[in-house]
Amino acid sequence: MDHFLYRDGELYAEDVPLREIAASVGAPFYCYSSATFTRHFKLLDEALEGMDHLVCYAMKANSNQAILKLLGDLGAGMDVVSGGEYRRAKAAGVPGDRIVFSGVGKTEAEMRLAIEGGIRQFNIESEPEMAVLSRVAASLGAEVPVTVRVNPDVDAKTHEKISTGRKGDKFGIPISRAREVYALAASLPGLKVIGIDVHIGSQMVDFEPYRLAYRKVAELTEVLRGDGHEISRLDLGGGMGIPYERTNADPPLPRDYGQIVREEVGHLGCEIEIEPGRLIAGNSGVLVSEVIYVKSGEDREFLILNAAMNDLIRPAMYGAHHDIVPVKEPAVGELPTKYDVVGPVCESGDTFAKGRAMARMQAGDLVAFRTAGAYGAVMASEYNSRPMIPEVLVHGDQFAVIRARPTFDEMINRDTIPEWL
Ligand SMILES: *Cc1c(COP(=O)(O)O)cnc(C)c1O
């Protein structure tokens, strides 16, 4: 459930009409609902009730400072995958002991930054990385808590580009080699083995792969404990999927996920960490755009919007579906028509939807892309010299711009022309 609903014939974000925000900041823009962010975080937190746990928001899904502050104040930890994200989390006031560092390519500089600033744990993804972390930690006189990310060879049954837990994926170490890698970790200075990490993919709407992966993690916990390692924390990753299309089918629920966690690893007495990104942020945001032209092609009609693939790349990159709805509520019984919904960027890939049934639209009308709160603004670029679009956060009947649209001069002046030209 989210807080973007029709009321009095138009789409609202909580208690604010999207039309009003559009009049103030100009379309296109991202709009987030703080009540929806809060609700999703709490549902996940409650799903793990009774187990010692921390929900570490995977901030790559949406890392605006205001969003991090909102979630951090609710008690969330953060899962970071770069030094930039680490700095963002700290800047938003999240303490180091709630920040987990993931990612296959952590550099020495990033490790030093996190050790000096405070870190809950590093999730190590390879032996070379382990050696470097050991050296950096020892040189700082630190002993850092670590888990090793194991690849359980489980098919998450999701999109190719966001599956991460199969044999051929670049993430983690094969679970079959876990004992030797943990023995190495235990022998190196500066590292303190505390647990196991696993993350098998994203946008998983079938939760059974979790069960298979967590069963393997539970078995491994016993084996590693038998080898004398202290395994007191399990980082179970993120990846819970969300409905991008409104259908009658029930979406997978956080409490079903929590039940799987309880059943598979609840008996081990470990502290549980999860790293959800999309489930918290996805339905907490919409992208609002304006129709520039309705163009009749030879055999179809194009709805040409002022948002483009550079603002929301998921359709072009993953073939992802986003529901696109008019901000003015269509009249009951109004017959839909079909549009190819496109942006103005000079690429055929700049297509949001083909043959999409929608109410008839005109130039100047506003539309909202639903489920755009995760992997939306964070993946945006200025391709075609289109300045990054603003982000707005709604709270009840208030709204605030939480990232302003840069001016054209600001965008252009980031470049410098060398003297010799
Ligand atoms: C991307 C990622 C997540 C979050 O994935 P979602 O599908 O957004 O929940 C969690 N952990 C790691 C290591 C990731 O790379």
Side-chain angles (χ1 to χ4, degrees):
M1 203 210 98
D2 61 47
H3 291 75
F4 299 97
L5 300 171
Y6 285 113
R7 201 195 285 179
D8 306 327
E10 60 178 326
L11 195 60
Y12 274 64
E14 300 189 21
D15 299 326
V16 185
L18 287 170
R19 173 186 44 82
E20 215 170 87
I21 303 175
S24 164
V25 306
F29 61 92
Y30 278 99
C31 177
Y32 309 126
S33 152
S34 43
T36 313
F37 266 104
T38 301
R39 177 185 150 81
H40 291 165
F41 172 77
K42 287 194 169 157
L43 280 176
L44 278 166
D45 202 32
E46 284 160 20
L48 299 178
E49 218 162 57
M51 291 179 280
D52 187 10
H53 71 273
L54 183 67
V55 177
C56 292
Y57 170 60
M59 58 181 273
K60 73 175 195 274
N62 184 326
S63 57
N64 188 289
Q65 288 288 285
I67 302 303
L68 302 186
K69 174 81 165 65
L70 172 74
L71 292 172
D73 286 355
L74 291 170
M78 297 289 154
D79 178 60
V80 309
V81 293
S82 71
E85 284 196 350
Y86 180 86
R87 285 173 204 269
R88 273 185 178 275
K90 289 302 284 284
V94 180
D97 64 6
R98 274 198 262 144
I99 302 177
V100 172
F101 211 132
S102 299
V104 290
K106 303 177 203 76
T107 64
E108 283 195 42
E110 288 174 324
M111 293 170 181
R112 202 171 301 116
L113 172 77
I115 294 170
E116 287 176 344
I119 190 79
R120 179 176 176 83
Q121 101 226 3
F122 284 94
N123 294 333
I124 296 178
E125 299 229 10
S126 67
E127 287 145 298
E129 184 196 359
M130 186 180 285
V132 172
L133 182 61
S134 165
R135 179 157 47 73
V136 173
S139 76
L140 294 170
E143 191 176 64
V144 295
V146 298
T147 70
V148 176
R149 177 167 176 181
V150 295
N151 182 332
D153 192 20
V154 166
D155 188 346
K157 298 188 187 137
T158 182
H159 191 281
E160 184 63 24
K161 288 185 186 166
I162 49 178
S163 181
T164 58
R166 298 162 308 176
K167 221 181 267 177
D169 294 328
K170 72 177 176 183
F171 301 95
I173 57 126
I175 199 163
S176 56
R177 292 193 49 241
R179 290 180 78 182
E180 51 179 302
V181 176
Y182 271 83
L184 176 66
S187 74
L188 291 174
L191 308 182
K192 181 172 169 27
V193 172
I194 55 147
I196 304 172
D197 171 42
V198 69
H199 170 73
I200 57 174
S202 194
Q203 185 49 16
M204 292 168 58
V205 284
D206 173 2
F207 285 173
E208 276 313 295
Y210 281 124
R211 191 181 289 284
L212 298 177
Y214 296 170
R215 194 163 291 172
K216 291 190 178 186
V217 168
E219 284 164 15
L220 181 62
T221 301
E222 310 277 15
V223 170
L224 293 177
R225 282 176 172 170
D227 288 347
H229 300 288
E230 183 204 317
I231 303 295
S232 57
R233 185 181 291 168
L234 299 178
D235 182 334
L236 300 176
M240 288 76 102
I242 54 174
Y244 277 91
E245 234 167 310
R246 309 236 146 184
T247 61
N248 293 326
D250 287 336
L253 295 173
R255 69 162 181 272
D256 301 336
Y257 173 80
Q259 194 52 30
I260 290 176
V261 172
R262 202 165 279 116
E263 286 168 15
E264 299 301 332
V265 301
H267 59 288
L268 296 167
C270 287
E271 182 182 9
I272 302 299
E273 265 169 19
I274 57 170
E275 305 170 343
R278 190 187 311 270
L279 190 96
I280 292 179
N283 277 314
S284 303
V286 295
L287 165 63
V288 177
S289 178
E290 187 176 317
V291 177
I292 309 177
Y293 297 115
V294 181
K295 168 176 162 173
S296 296
E298 214 156 290
D299 59 350
R300 65 193 66 206
E301 281 201 287
F302 293 98
L303 204 57
I304 303 177
L305 303 181
N306 67 354
M309 63 188 289
N310 68 298
D311 304 310
L312 177 67
I313 203 167
R314 298 189 66 258
M317 186 154 158
Y318 310 116
H321 173 102
H322 282 269
D323 279 350
I324 306 169
V325 298
V327 166
K328 183 169 167 294
E329 188 173 17
V332 183
E334 189 178 324
L335 285 184
T337 179
K338 283 197 172 162
Y339 292 114
D340 279 15
V341 185
V342 303
V345 160
C346 303
E347 303 233 7
S348 293
D350 188 20
T351 297
F352 291 119
K354 286 196 163 157
R356 182 69 65 87
M358 288 177 72
R360 196 157 274 290
M361 306 291 294
Q362 297 174 13
D365 285 349
L366 295 170
V367 296
F369 289 72
R370 289 191 181 273
T371 322
Y375 306 106
V378 284
M379 287 180 127
S381 74
E382 291 183 337
Y383 186 42
N384 276 216
S385 287
R386 297 164 44 84
M388 301 281 269
I389 65 176
E391 293 174 274
V392 172
L393 182 63
V394 171
H395 175 62
D397 60 2
Q398 316 172 54
F399 72 91
V401 174
I402 58 173
R403 189 181 69 194
R405 188 193 308 277
T407 64
F408 285 102
D409 280 345
E410 281 164 352
M411 180 177 74
I412 293 164
N413 291 337
R414 281 204 302 270
D415 301 352
T416 48
I417 299 176
E419 264 167 38
W420 37 263
L421 273 186

